[in-house]
Amino acid sequence: PHCSAGLRRPLDSTRPRATEGYKALAKRGPLSNSNSDMRSRFGATLGRSALWPLRPSLPAVRSPLRALRRPLSTAALDAYSNTVVSTVETVGPATVAIQVAAPGATVAPPGAPPGEGAPGGSQGSGVIITPDGYLLSNAHVVGDASEMSVTLTDGRVLRGTTVGRDVATDLALVRLQTPGSVPFATLGDSEALRVGQLVVAIGNPLGFASTVSAGVVSAKGRSLRAKDGRLIEDIVQTDVALNPGNSGGPLVDSASRVVGINTAIIQGAQNLSFSVPSATAQWVVSELLAHGHVRRSFLGLGCQLFPVSRLFQRAHLFDPPTAVQAVNVVPAGPAARAGVRQGDVLLAIDGNPLRSVDEIHRLLPTPGKRIRLRLVRPSDARSV
């Protein structure tokens, strides 16, 4: 603004200072609690251009605690529930309860109440994998029994006969004696599982039929020691709730495919459950159907581990700190026919270094195939 003489003056000289405005307001009396009255008095004394907003407008910010208190999306909950419900409705009818009679007891006849005729026997679960009545369960559930009582979810009680079992993988194949077709589930691809993926376990824990629990894949590639001492490879670890009686039941993915057979838990631990992968189950089923047992290659050796020195590692380009040594050789066995002697140190099978006796079982191919065995003979420092 310009004065009447046309001279430009500083902006603050054309209006009273803020302190002068406060003094003027003090002479008028105490301010009202009304914001409008306060603004009007400030405006009358200082002018609108000199006012600061008494309650500055700030952008609306949602409190983090308020955001956390918001309920989960109904659509997300429905999607999760629908997945589990669809899985149970598809695979649940194919999940059965198995009752094995104690030695010397009789198997419950068809139509008898569950548990009749089998006092002191074992109980477990199973899953039907073919419409003509073949089902998978655990070898420790079936045991040495040749017959057992199988209860379906629709209440039917059928007699099952053991086709074969494989203690090394804790799997058993049972055939149901039924005149017609039965509900069945499809074996999926366990190798496609990913850590964190949703899985559902169905079984009969502690006698509670058709119990469902859900969780995620915690890890893949675990190893468990079977009753015969062999390692079960590629075990799937989950956090689903399993209890005695869940053994032999299916582990199912979100596409309603069986990706594992529940086999073990760790007593005293929580949410540590293990399942034999469906890839192993498919191989075992094919062997049991074709031969009645699982064929495995063997070398005919008794071996032990022993530590090796750095000099040995450098001399034979062998990285592992321990090596496998043959302590006895079965006469006329595959290793004996190849020239392996007692005391030989086994370094590799087909170029794969041997770090333990378990790796021999893992690296052996199917029966009938030839392998190349690299070893060191103590009487001869050379590698042969």
Side-chain angles (χ1 to χ4, degrees), residues 7-384:
L7 299 178
R8 188 177 185 86
R9 294 185 178 182
L11 181 63
D12 59 354
S13 65
T14 63
R15 58 176 65 95
R17 295 180 180 274
T19 55
E20 297 174 358
Y22 280 114
K23 292 177 180 179
L25 289 175
K27 294 179 180 179
R28 292 175 179 263
L31 290 175
S32 169
N33 289 334
S34 171
N35 285 340
S36 60
D37 183 52
M38 186 180 295
R39 289 180 184 273
S40 63
R41 294 189 180 185
F42 261 107
T45 309
L46 302 178
R48 290 185 180 277
S49 60
L51 286 176
W52 286 87
L54 298 180
R55 297 181 64 182
S57 59
L58 297 177
V61 178
R62 183 180 293 274
S63 170
L65 294 179
R66 182 178 299 177
L68 289 177
R69 288 196 298 267
R70 287 185 299 170
L72 294 176
S73 170
T74 304
L77 286 176
D78 288 344
Y80 178 86
S81 300
N82 288 335
T83 300
V84 177
V85 169
S86 175
T87 298
V88 174
E89 290 178 347
T90 303
V91 183
T95 305
V96 300
I98 298 177
Q99 180 81 35
V100 179
T106 59
V107 179
E116 182 178 324
S122 62
Q123 295 181 351
S125 305
V127 56
I128 304 172
I129 57 174
T130 63
D132 55 348
Y134 283 96
L135 69 86
L136 269 172
S137 185
N138 285 146
H140 74 264
V141 171
V142 174
D144 296 327
S146 59
E147 291 186 348
M148 64 212 66
S149 175
V150 179
T151 305
L152 278 63
T153 56
D154 59 8
R156 286 183 293 171
V157 180
L158 304 176
R159 178 167 297 181
T161 56
T162 304
V163 177
R165 67 190 190 104
D166 182 48
V167 178
T169 56
D170 197 21
L171 291 175
L173 185 65
V174 176
R175 176 70 184 273
L176 295 179
Q177 299 177 6
T178 174
S181 62
V182 290
F184 68 97
T186 303
L187 291 178
D189 183 11
S190 58
E191 296 180 356
L193 283 175
R194 301 176 63 183
V195 175
Q197 182 174 337
L198 171 67
V199 286
V200 178
I202 309 175
N204 304 278
L206 303 175
F208 295 97
S210 302
T211 299
V212 178
S213 58
V216 297
V217 176
S218 303
K220 295 175 58 180
R222 300 296 196 199
S223 298
L224 285 180
R225 188 74 61 181
K227 288 187 175 181
D228 66 349
R230 288 177 178 262
L231 278 181
I232 309 176
E233 301 288 347
D234 297 327
I235 289 291
V236 180
Q237 178 186 337
T238 66
D239 69 344
V240 297
L242 297 183
N243 291 282
N246 273 117
S247 294
L251 184 72
V252 191
D253 64 6
S254 57
S256 301
R257 296 169 300 190
V258 178
V259 292
I261 303 297
N262 301 320
T263 186
I265 58 175
I266 296 180
Q267 294 291 344
Q270 295 182 354
N271 300 334
L272 286 176
S273 308
F274 303 93
S275 304
V276 179
S278 59
T280 301
Q282 290 176 343
W283 171 66
V284 170
V285 168
S286 62
E287 288 287 318
L288 293 177
L289 287 175
H291 310 284
H293 64 277
V294 176
R295 301 174 303 161
R296 287 185 173 86
S297 302
F298 75 103
L299 292 177
L301 293 174
C303 301
Q304 68 178 5
L305 282 178
F306 76 101
V308 295
S309 64
R310 291 292 299 168
L311 179 62
F312 181 93
Q313 291 176 308
R314 289 194 296 267
H316 302 287
L317 302 178
F318 186 72
D319 293 332
T322 58
V324 179
Q325 186 177 34
V327 294
N328 59 71
V329 181
V330 177
R337 292 197 300 268
V340 179
R341 301 177 185 173
Q342 183 177 356
D344 288 350
V345 180
L346 313 182
L347 301 182
I349 293 180
D350 287 337
N352 299 297
L354 295 176
R355 298 176 176 83
S356 65
V357 178
D358 293 319
E359 291 205 356
I360 296 179
H361 299 295
R362 184 176 62 85
L363 294 173
L364 286 179
T366 56
K369 292 187 177 181
R370 300 177 64 90
I371 62 170
R372 184 176 182 84
L373 182 63
R374 179 171 171 246
L375 57 85
V376 172
R377 186 154 292 159
S379 59
D380 187 351
R382 297 174 300 172
S383 176
V384 296

